[in-house]
Amino acid sequence: MTMPINAENVRAVLGEIASARPGASIDPGEVARKLAGADTKAWGRAMKPLRAVLVGLAKNGEIEFLRKGKPVTPEELRGVYRLRIATLGL
């Protein structure tokens, strides 16, 4: 499946993943694979635009970035990270 990487589609995929595993953190690579397809090159290229959308969602309070299990701001984000649906978000 290939879907445009925009806030609406990212919210839908995050909601789908979160409902399947309530309370669990989400690998952004999983979101990219659902949006861009299983081809490694396709979802790899999707990571940069996906991150930009995720930063916007984080700034709106819809998601949180986690680094080593602790929330971090988009400005503090470095390296490997996971996502969590904010309590009042999606």
Side-chain angles (χ1 to χ4, degrees), residues 64-73 82 84:
E64 294 177 307
F65 288 111
L66 302 175
R67 176 94 170 110
K68 297 184 179 181
K70 306 277 189 229
V72 294
T73 66
R82 293 186 64 86
R84 177 170 57 196

Side-chain angles (χ1 to χ4, degrees), residues 36-90:
D39 176 57
T40 305
K41 289 182 182 179
W43 72 262
R45 285 188 304 269
M47 290 300 291
K48 189 171 184 174
L50 172 62
R51 185 172 172 149
V53 172
L54 293 172
V55 165
L57 295 177
K59 287 183 176 184
N60 287 338
E62 298 178 56
I63 64 166
E64 294 177 307
F65 288 111
L66 302 175
R67 176 94 170 110
K68 297 184 179 181
K70 306 277 189 229
V72 294
T73 66
E75 296 77 25
E76 298 171 311
L77 191 61
R78 304 283 183 272
V80 177
Y81 63 96
R82 293 186 64 86
L83 308 167
R84 177 170 57 196
I85 305 297
T87 307
L88 300 174
L90 304 172

Side-chain angles (χ1 to χ4, degrees), residues 4-14 53 56-57 60 62 90:
I5 298 175
N6 58 40
E8 181 180 331
N9 289 340
V10 171
R11 280 186 194 102
V13 169
L14 287 170
V53 172
L57 295 177
N60 287 338
E62 298 178 56
L90 304 172

